[in-house]
Amino acid sequence: MFGKKTAVIYFSRTGITKGLVDKFPMEEGDLKVELIPSVPYPKSYFKTLARAKAEIEGNVSVDLENARQDLKGYERILIGFPIWFWTCPKAITSFISENDLRGMTIYPFCTSGGIDITEAADEIKRTAEGAVVKKGKRFKKYSAQALQNWLED
């Protein structure tokens, strides 16, 4: 992506984050992985909220079908998600805990209409020991120029 080998790892329950990622200008050699919980989230918005709240407040790991990824050789790791209760879903921290990201550069991004990414980025920094975690980006809508500017900062 933009001349650097990039892995885009994301979680998307409703498809909004996936829709954003699908617009990213992936290049040959880039990797795109949607994290899939072993136990799917309920279709009901309110039941999903209850489960997400319990996971976040209880610091519960989420088992993922595809948690382990070979990320050696990628110059950038973009990690995307919706904001849940002012932070990232536990699927994200579970993924990070399952992979050795030491020495890698992580770019967290979120889809949110109004909640800032700061708390979620701080959670990623705490979880991704030894990784360089760049300033997060909140996307309301896709812009190739905004994406490129963020990655070049």
mmCIF file with all atom_site columns, all heavy atoms in Angstrom, residues 23-42:
data_model
loop_
_atom_site.group_PDB
_atom_site.id
_atom_site.type_symbol
_atom_site.label_atom_id
_atom_site.label_alt_id
_atom_site.label_comp_id
_atom_site.label_asym_id
_atom_site.label_entity_id
_atom_site.label_seq_id
_atom_site.pdbx_PDB_ins_code
_atom_site.Cartn_x
_atom_site.Cartn_y
_atom_site.Cartn_z
_atom_site.occupancy
_atom_site.B_iso_or_equiv
_atom_site.pdbx_formal_charge
_atom_site.auth_seq_id
_atom_site.auth_comp_id
_atom_site.auth_asym_id
_atom_site.auth_atom_id
_atom_site.pdbx_PDB_model_num
ATOM 1   N N   . LYS A 1 23 ? -11.969 -0.566  0.431  1.00 0.00 ? 23 LYS A N   1
ATOM 2   C CA  . LYS A 1 23 ? -11.599 0.566   -0.426 1.00 0.00 ? 23 LYS A CA  1
ATOM 3   C C   . LYS A 1 23 ? -10.098 0.868   -0.379 1.00 0.00 ? 23 LYS A C   1
ATOM 4   O O   . LYS A 1 23 ? -9.608  1.646   -1.190 1.00 0.00 ? 23 LYS A O   1
ATOM 5   C CB  . LYS A 1 23 ? -12.387 1.815   -0.004 1.00 0.00 ? 23 LYS A CB  1
ATOM 6   C CG  . LYS A 1 23 ? -13.874 1.674   -0.246 1.00 0.00 ? 23 LYS A CG  1
ATOM 7   C CD  . LYS A 1 23 ? -14.630 2.872   0.273  1.00 0.00 ? 23 LYS A CD  1
ATOM 8   C CE  . LYS A 1 23 ? -16.120 2.659   0.082  1.00 0.00 ? 23 LYS A CE  1
ATOM 9   N NZ  . LYS A 1 23 ? -16.911 3.702   0.722  1.00 0.00 ? 23 LYS A NZ  1
ATOM 10  N N   . PHE A 1 24 ? -9.384  0.267   0.556  1.00 0.00 ? 24 PHE A N   1
ATOM 11  C CA  . PHE A 1 24 ? -7.944  0.534   0.685  1.00 0.00 ? 24 PHE A CA  1
ATOM 12  C C   . PHE A 1 24 ? -7.226  0.060   -0.583 1.00 0.00 ? 24 PHE A C   1
ATOM 13  O O   . PHE A 1 24 ? -7.536  -1.004  -1.121 1.00 0.00 ? 24 PHE A O   1
ATOM 14  C CB  . PHE A 1 24 ? -7.364  -0.182  1.896  1.00 0.00 ? 24 PHE A CB  1
ATOM 15  C CG  . PHE A 1 24 ? -7.689  0.440   3.231  1.00 0.00 ? 24 PHE A CG  1
ATOM 16  C CD1 . PHE A 1 24 ? -8.561  1.507   3.366  1.00 0.00 ? 24 PHE A CD1 1
ATOM 17  C CD2 . PHE A 1 24 ? -7.096  -0.039  4.379  1.00 0.00 ? 24 PHE A CD2 1
ATOM 18  C CE1 . PHE A 1 24 ? -8.847  2.059   4.597  1.00 0.00 ? 24 PHE A CE1 1
ATOM 19  C CE2 . PHE A 1 24 ? -7.362  0.505   5.631  1.00 0.00 ? 24 PHE A CE2 1
ATOM 20  C CZ  . PHE A 1 24 ? -8.242  1.561   5.726  1.00 0.00 ? 24 PHE A CZ  1
ATOM 21  N N   . PRO A 1 25 ? -6.233  0.816   -1.035 1.00 0.00 ? 25 PRO A N   1
ATOM 22  C CA  . PRO A 1 25 ? -5.508  0.467   -2.265 1.00 0.00 ? 25 PRO A CA  1
ATOM 23  C C   . PRO A 1 25 ? -4.452  -0.615  -2.025 1.00 0.00 ? 25 PRO A C   1
ATOM 24  O O   . PRO A 1 25 ? -3.254  -0.352  -1.983 1.00 0.00 ? 25 PRO A O   1
ATOM 25  C CB  . PRO A 1 25 ? -4.869  1.795   -2.674 1.00 0.00 ? 25 PRO A CB  1
ATOM 26  C CG  . PRO A 1 25 ? -4.634  2.499   -1.382 1.00 0.00 ? 25 PRO A CG  1
ATOM 27  C CD  . PRO A 1 25 ? -5.788  2.099   -0.497 1.00 0.00 ? 25 PRO A CD  1
ATOM 28  N N   . MET A 1 26 ? -4.907  -1.848  -1.867 1.00 0.00 ? 26 MET A N   1
ATOM 29  C CA  . MET A 1 26 ? -3.993  -2.967  -1.620 1.00 0.00 ? 26 MET A CA  1
ATOM 30  C C   . MET A 1 26 ? -3.138  -3.212  -2.862 1.00 0.00 ? 26 MET A C   1
ATOM 31  O O   . MET A 1 26 ? -3.613  -3.065  -3.986 1.00 0.00 ? 26 MET A O   1
ATOM 32  C CB  . MET A 1 26 ? -4.781  -4.222  -1.248 1.00 0.00 ? 26 MET A CB  1
ATOM 33  C CG  . MET A 1 26 ? -5.738  -4.061  -0.066 1.00 0.00 ? 26 MET A CG  1
ATOM 34  S SD  . MET A 1 26 ? -4.953  -3.687  1.496  1.00 0.00 ? 26 MET A SD  1
ATOM 35  C CE  . MET A 1 26 ? -4.343  -5.306  1.937  1.00 0.00 ? 26 MET A CE  1
ATOM 36  N N   . GLU A 1 27 ? -1.893  -3.592  -2.615 1.00 0.00 ? 27 GLU A N   1
ATOM 37  C CA  . GLU A 1 27 ? -0.965  -3.894  -3.701 1.00 0.00 ? 27 GLU A CA  1
ATOM 38  C C   . GLU A 1 27 ? -0.525  -5.340  -3.605 1.00 0.00 ? 27 GLU A C   1
ATOM 39  O O   . GLU A 1 27 ? -0.738  -5.999  -2.577 1.00 0.00 ? 27 GLU A O   1
ATOM 40  C CB  . GLU A 1 27 ? 0.254   -2.959  -3.606 1.00 0.00 ? 27 GLU A CB  1
ATOM 41  C CG  . GLU A 1 27 ? -0.104  -1.498  -3.776 1.00 0.00 ? 27 GLU A CG  1
ATOM 42  C CD  . GLU A 1 27 ? 1.054   -0.538  -3.486 1.00 0.00 ? 27 GLU A CD  1
ATOM 43  O OE1 . GLU A 1 27 ? 2.141   -0.991  -3.082 1.00 0.00 ? 27 GLU A OE1 1
ATOM 44  O OE2 . GLU A 1 27 ? 0.855   0.674   -3.660 1.00 0.00 ? 27 GLU A OE2 1
ATOM 45  N N   . GLU A 1 28 ? 0.084   -5.840  -4.654 1.00 0.00 ? 28 GLU A N   1
ATOM 46  C CA  . GLU A 1 28 ? 0.586   -7.215  -4.643 1.00 0.00 ? 28 GLU A CA  1
ATOM 47  C C   . GLU A 1 28 ? 1.524   -7.402  -3.451 1.00 0.00 ? 28 GLU A C   1
ATOM 48  O O   . GLU A 1 28 ? 2.404   -6.566  -3.200 1.00 0.00 ? 28 GLU A O   1
ATOM 49  C CB  . GLU A 1 28 ? 1.323   -7.520  -5.945 1.00 0.00 ? 28 GLU A CB  1
ATOM 50  C CG  . GLU A 1 28 ? 1.709   -8.968  -6.070 1.00 0.00 ? 28 GLU A CG  1
ATOM 51  C CD  . GLU A 1 28 ? 2.310   -9.299  -7.423 1.00 0.00 ? 28 GLU A CD  1
ATOM 52  O OE1 . GLU A 1 28 ? 2.024   -8.592  -8.401 1.00 0.00 ? 28 GLU A OE1 1
ATOM 53  O OE2 . GLU A 1 28 ? 3.067   -10.275 -7.470 1.00 0.00 ? 28 GLU A OE2 1
ATOM 54  N N   . GLY A 1 29 ? 1.315   -8.466  -2.700 1.00 0.00 ? 29 GLY A N   1
ATOM 55  C CA  . GLY A 1 29 ? 2.136   -8.742  -1.520 1.00 0.00 ? 29 GLY A CA  1
ATOM 56  C C   . GLY A 1 29 ? 1.533   -8.241  -0.226 1.00 0.00 ? 29 GLY A C   1
ATOM 57  O O   . GLY A 1 29 ? 1.982   -8.619  0.857  1.00 0.00 ? 29 GLY A O   1
ATOM 58  N N   . ASP A 1 30 ? 0.527   -7.359  -0.305 1.00 0.00 ? 30 ASP A N   1
ATOM 59  C CA  . ASP A 1 30 ? -0.167  -6.904  0.896  1.00 0.00 ? 30 ASP A CA  1
ATOM 60  C C   . ASP A 1 30 ? -1.089  -8.021  1.393  1.00 0.00 ? 30 ASP A C   1
ATOM 61  O O   . ASP A 1 30 ? -1.455  -8.920  0.640  1.00 0.00 ? 30 ASP A O   1
ATOM 62  C CB  . ASP A 1 30 ? -0.992  -5.643  0.622  1.00 0.00 ? 30 ASP A CB  1
ATOM 63  C CG  . ASP A 1 30 ? -0.141  -4.394  0.405  1.00 0.00 ? 30 ASP A CG  1
ATOM 64  O OD1 . ASP A 1 30 ? 1.060   -4.427  0.707  1.00 0.00 ? 30 ASP A OD1 1
ATOM 65  O OD2 . ASP A 1 30 ? -0.703  -3.391  -0.083 1.00 0.00 ? 30 ASP A OD2 1
ATOM 66  N N   . LEU A 1 31 ? -1.462  -7.935  2.646  1.00 0.00 ? 31 LEU A N   1
ATOM 67  C CA  . LEU A 1 31 ? -2.310  -8.943  3.276  1.00 0.00 ? 31 LEU A CA  1
ATOM 68  C C   . LEU A 1 31 ? -3.525  -8.260  3.883  1.00 0.00 ? 31 LEU A C   1
ATOM 69  O O   . LEU A 1 31 ? -3.398  -7.209  4.518  1.00 0.00 ? 31 LEU A O   1
ATOM 70  C CB  . LEU A 1 31 ? -1.518  -9.665  4.376  1.00 0.00 ? 31 LEU A CB  1
ATOM 71  C CG  . LEU A 1 31 ? -2.263  -10.664 5.251  1.00 0.00 ? 31 LEU A CG  1
ATOM 72  C CD1 . LEU A 1 31 ? -2.640  -11.903 4.433  1.00 0.00 ? 31 LEU A CD1 1
ATOM 73  C CD2 . LEU A 1 31 ? -1.396  -11.057 6.447  1.00 0.00 ? 31 LEU A CD2 1
ATOM 74  N N   . LYS A 1 32 ? -4.686  -8.869  3.706  1.00 0.00 ? 32 LYS A N   1
ATOM 75  C CA  . LYS A 1 32 ? -5.913  -8.364  4.318  1.00 0.00 ? 32 LYS A CA  1
ATOM 76  C C   . LYS A 1 32 ? -6.573  -9.531  5.041  1.00 0.00 ? 32 LYS A C   1
ATOM 77  O O   . LYS A 1 32 ? -6.838  -10.567 4.440  1.00 0.00 ? 32 LYS A O   1
ATOM 78  C CB  . LYS A 1 32 ? -6.842  -7.780  3.249  1.00 0.00 ? 32 LYS A CB  1
ATOM 79  C CG  . LYS A 1 32 ? -8.146  -7.255  3.793  1.00 0.00 ? 32 LYS A CG  1
ATOM 80  C CD  . LYS A 1 32 ? -8.943  -6.436  2.788  1.00 0.00 ? 32 LYS A CD  1
ATOM 81  C CE  . LYS A 1 32 ? -9.231  -7.111  1.496  1.00 0.00 ? 32 LYS A CE  1
ATOM 82  N NZ  . LYS A 1 32 ? -10.193 -6.375  0.650  1.00 0.00 ? 32 LYS A NZ  1
ATOM 83  N N   . VAL A 1 33 ? -6.822  -9.362  6.363  1.00 0.00 ? 33 VAL A N   1
ATOM 84  C CA  . VAL A 1 33 ? -7.411  -10.424 7.170  1.00 0.00 ? 33 VAL A CA  1
ATOM 85  C C   . VAL A 1 33 ? -8.538  -9.858  8.012  1.00 0.00 ? 33 VAL A C   1
ATOM 86  O O   . VAL A 1 33 ? -8.330  -8.935  8.803  1.00 0.00 ? 33 VAL A O   1
ATOM 87  C CB  . VAL A 1 33 ? -6.362  -11.068 8.112  1.00 0.00 ? 33 VAL A CB  1
ATOM 88  C CG1 . VAL A 1 33 ? -7.015  -12.107 9.008  1.00 0.00 ? 33 VAL A CG1 1
ATOM 89  C CG2 . VAL A 1 33 ? -5.209  -11.665 7.325  1.00 0.00 ? 33 VAL A CG2 1
ATOM 90  N N   . GLU A 1 34 ? -9.735  -10.431 7.836  1.00 0.00 ? 34 GLU A N   1
ATOM 91  C CA  . GLU A 1 34 ? -10.852 -10.097 8.724  1.00 0.00 ? 34 GLU A CA  1
ATOM 92  C C   . GLU A 1 34 ? -10.840 -11.081 9.883  1.00 0.00 ? 34 GLU A C   1
ATOM 93  O O   . GLU A 1 34 ? -10.870 -12.300 9.677  1.00 0.00 ? 34 GLU A O   1
ATOM 94  C CB  . GLU A 1 34 ? -12.187 -10.175 7.988  1.00 0.00 ? 34 GLU A CB  1
ATOM 95  C CG  . GLU A 1 34 ? -13.355 -9.826  8.896  1.00 0.00 ? 34 GLU A CG  1
ATOM 96  C CD  . GLU A 1 34 ? -14.701 -9.779  8.197  1.00 0.00 ? 34 GLU A CD  1
ATOM 97  O OE1 . GLU A 1 34 ? -14.766 -10.110 6.991  1.00 0.00 ? 34 GLU A OE1 1
ATOM 98  O OE2 . GLU A 1 34 ? -15.686 -9.401  8.854  1.00 0.00 ? 34 GLU A OE2 1
ATOM 99  N N   . LEU A 1 35 ? -10.766 -10.572 11.112 1.00 0.00 ? 35 LEU A N   1
ATOM 100 C CA  . LEU A 1 35 ? -10.767 -11.421 12.293 1.00 0.00 ? 35 LEU A CA  1
ATOM 101 C C   . LEU A 1 35 ? -12.171 -11.986 12.505 1.00 0.00 ? 35 LEU A C   1
ATOM 102 O O   . LEU A 1 35 ? -13.157 -11.245 12.504 1.00 0.00 ? 35 LEU A O   1
ATOM 103 C CB  . LEU A 1 35 ? -10.316 -10.633 13.522 1.00 0.00 ? 35 LEU A CB  1
ATOM 104 C CG  . LEU A 1 35 ? -8.892  -10.081 13.444 1.00 0.00 ? 35 LEU A CG  1
ATOM 105 C CD1 . LEU A 1 35 ? -8.598  -9.223  14.657 1.00 0.00 ? 35 LEU A CD1 1
ATOM 106 C CD2 . LEU A 1 35 ? -7.868  -11.200 13.297 1.00 0.00 ? 35 LEU A CD2 1
ATOM 107 N N   . ILE A 1 36 ? -12.236 -13.303 12.693 1.00 0.00 ? 36 ILE A N   1
ATOM 108 C CA  . ILE A 1 36 ? -13.514 -13.994 12.827 1.00 0.00 ? 36 ILE A CA  1
ATOM 109 C C   . ILE A 1 36 ? -13.593 -14.633 14.214 1.00 0.00 ? 36 ILE A C   1
ATOM 110 O O   . ILE A 1 36 ? -12.827 -15.561 14.514 1.00 0.00 ? 36 ILE A O   1
ATOM 111 C CB  . ILE A 1 36 ? -13.669 -15.100 11.757 1.00 0.00 ? 36 ILE A CB  1
ATOM 112 C CG1 . ILE A 1 36 ? -13.416 -14.553 10.350 1.00 0.00 ? 36 ILE A CG1 1
ATOM 113 C CG2 . ILE A 1 36 ? -15.017 -15.790 11.888 1.00 0.00 ? 36 ILE A CG2 1
ATOM 114 C CD1 . ILE A 1 36 ? -14.405 -13.529 9.869  1.00 0.00 ? 36 ILE A CD1 1
ATOM 115 N N   . PRO A 1 37 ? -14.483 -14.143 15.081 1.00 0.00 ? 37 PRO A N   1
ATOM 116 C CA  . PRO A 1 37 ? -14.649 -14.779 16.395 1.00 0.00 ? 37 PRO A CA  1
ATOM 117 C C   . PRO A 1 37 ? -15.139 -16.225 16.243 1.00 0.00 ? 37 PRO A C   1
ATOM 118 O O   . PRO A 1 37 ? -15.982 -16.513 15.384 1.00 0.00 ? 37 PRO A O   1
ATOM 119 C CB  . PRO A 1 37 ? -15.712 -13.921 17.092 1.00 0.00 ? 37 PRO A CB  1
ATOM 120 C CG  . PRO A 1 37 ? -15.708 -12.626 16.354 1.00 0.00 ? 37 PRO A CG  1
ATOM 121 C CD  . PRO A 1 37 ? -15.340 -12.961 14.937 1.00 0.00 ? 37 PRO A CD  1
ATOM 122 N N   . SER A 1 38 ? -14.602 -17.125 17.062 1.00 0.00 ? 38 SER A N   1
ATOM 123 C CA  . SER A 1 38 ? -15.027 -18.533 17.029 1.00 0.00 ? 38 SER A CA  1
ATOM 124 C C   . SER A 1 38 ? -16.509 -18.659 17.359 1.00 0.00 ? 38 SER A C   1
ATOM 125 O O   . SER A 1 38 ? -17.203 -19.511 16.800 1.00 0.00 ? 38 SER A O   1
ATOM 126 C CB  . SER A 1 38 ? -14.201 -19.358 18.017 1.00 0.00 ? 38 SER A CB  1
ATOM 127 O OG  . SER A 1 38 ? -12.848 -19.333 17.620 1.00 0.00 ? 38 SER A OG  1
ATOM 128 N N   . VAL A 1 39 ? -16.969 -17.823 18.278 1.00 0.00 ? 39 VAL A N   1
ATOM 129 C CA  . VAL A 1 39 ? -18.396 -17.759 18.598 1.00 0.00 ? 39 VAL A CA  1
ATOM 130 C C   . VAL A 1 39 ? -18.903 -16.424 18.035 1.00 0.00 ? 39 VAL A C   1
ATOM 131 O O   . VAL A 1 39 ? -18.536 -15.356 18.550 1.00 0.00 ? 39 VAL A O   1
ATOM 132 C CB  . VAL A 1 39 ? -18.651 -17.840 20.121 1.00 0.00 ? 39 VAL A CB  1
ATOM 133 C CG1 . VAL A 1 39 ? -20.134 -17.686 20.429 1.00 0.00 ? 39 VAL A CG1 1
ATOM 134 C CG2 . VAL A 1 39 ? -18.099 -19.139 20.690 1.00 0.00 ? 39 VAL A CG2 1
ATOM 135 N N   . PRO A 1 40 ? -19.698 -16.460 16.973 1.00 0.00 ? 40 PRO A N   1
ATOM 136 C CA  . PRO A 1 40 ? -20.156 -15.212 16.354 1.00 0.00 ? 40 PRO A CA  1
ATOM 137 C C   . PRO A 1 40 ? -20.942 -14.334 17.339 1.00 0.00 ? 40 PRO A C   1
ATOM 138 O O   . PRO A 1 40 ? -21.592 -14.844 18.261 1.00 0.00 ? 40 PRO A O   1
ATOM 139 C CB  . PRO A 1 40 ? -21.076 -15.681 15.226 1.00 0.00 ? 40 PRO A CB  1
ATOM 140 C CG  . PRO A 1 40 ? -20.704 -17.100 14.979 1.00 0.00 ? 40 PRO A CG  1
ATOM 141 C CD  . PRO A 1 40 ? -20.235 -17.641 16.298 1.00 0.00 ? 40 PRO A CD  1
ATOM 142 N N   . TYR A 1 41 ? -20.854 -13.044 17.113 1.00 0.00 ? 41 TYR A N   1
ATOM 143 C CA  . TYR A 1 41 ? -21.658 -12.121 17.909 1.00 0.00 ? 41 TYR A CA  1
ATOM 144 C C   . TYR A 1 41 ? -23.113 -12.253 17.480 1.00 0.00 ? 41 TYR A C   1
ATOM 145 O O   . TYR A 1 41 ? -23.405 -12.543 16.318 1.00 0.00 ? 41 TYR A O   1
ATOM 146 C CB  . TYR A 1 41 ? -21.162 -10.678 17.737 1.00 0.00 ? 41 TYR A CB  1
ATOM 147 C CG  . TYR A 1 41 ? -19.904 -10.435 18.511 1.00 0.00 ? 41 TYR A CG  1
ATOM 148 C CD1 . TYR A 1 41 ? -18.660 -10.632 17.928 1.00 0.00 ? 41 TYR A CD1 1
ATOM 149 C CD2 . TYR A 1 41 ? -19.950 -10.035 19.844 1.00 0.00 ? 41 TYR A CD2 1
ATOM 150 C CE1 . TYR A 1 41 ? -17.492 -10.439 18.647 1.00 0.00 ? 41 TYR A CE1 1
ATOM 151 C CE2 . TYR A 1 41 ? -18.785 -9.837  20.577 1.00 0.00 ? 41 TYR A CE2 1
ATOM 152 C CZ  . TYR A 1 41 ? -17.562 -10.043 19.973 1.00 0.00 ? 41 TYR A CZ  1
ATOM 153 O OH  . TYR A 1 41 ? -16.413 -9.867  20.696 1.00 0.00 ? 41 TYR A OH  1
ATOM 154 N N   . PRO A 1 42 ? -24.037 -12.020 18.412 1.00 0.00 ? 42 PRO A N   1
ATOM 155 C CA  . PRO A 1 42 ? -25.463 -12.131 18.068 1.00 0.00 ? 42 PRO A CA  1
ATOM 156 C C   . PRO A 1 42 ? -25.866 -11.121 16.993 1.00 0.00 ? 42 PRO A C   1
ATOM 157 O O   . PRO A 1 42 ? -25.245 -10.065 16.851 1.00 0.00 ? 42 PRO A O   1
ATOM 158 C CB  . PRO A 1 42 ? -26.169 -11.799 19.391 1.00 0.00 ? 42 PRO A CB  1
ATOM 159 C CG  . PRO A 1 42 ? -25.142 -11.920 20.452 1.00 0.00 ? 42 PRO A CG  1
ATOM 160 C CD  . PRO A 1 42 ? -23.819 -11.658 19.809 1.00 0.00 ? 42 PRO A CD  1
#
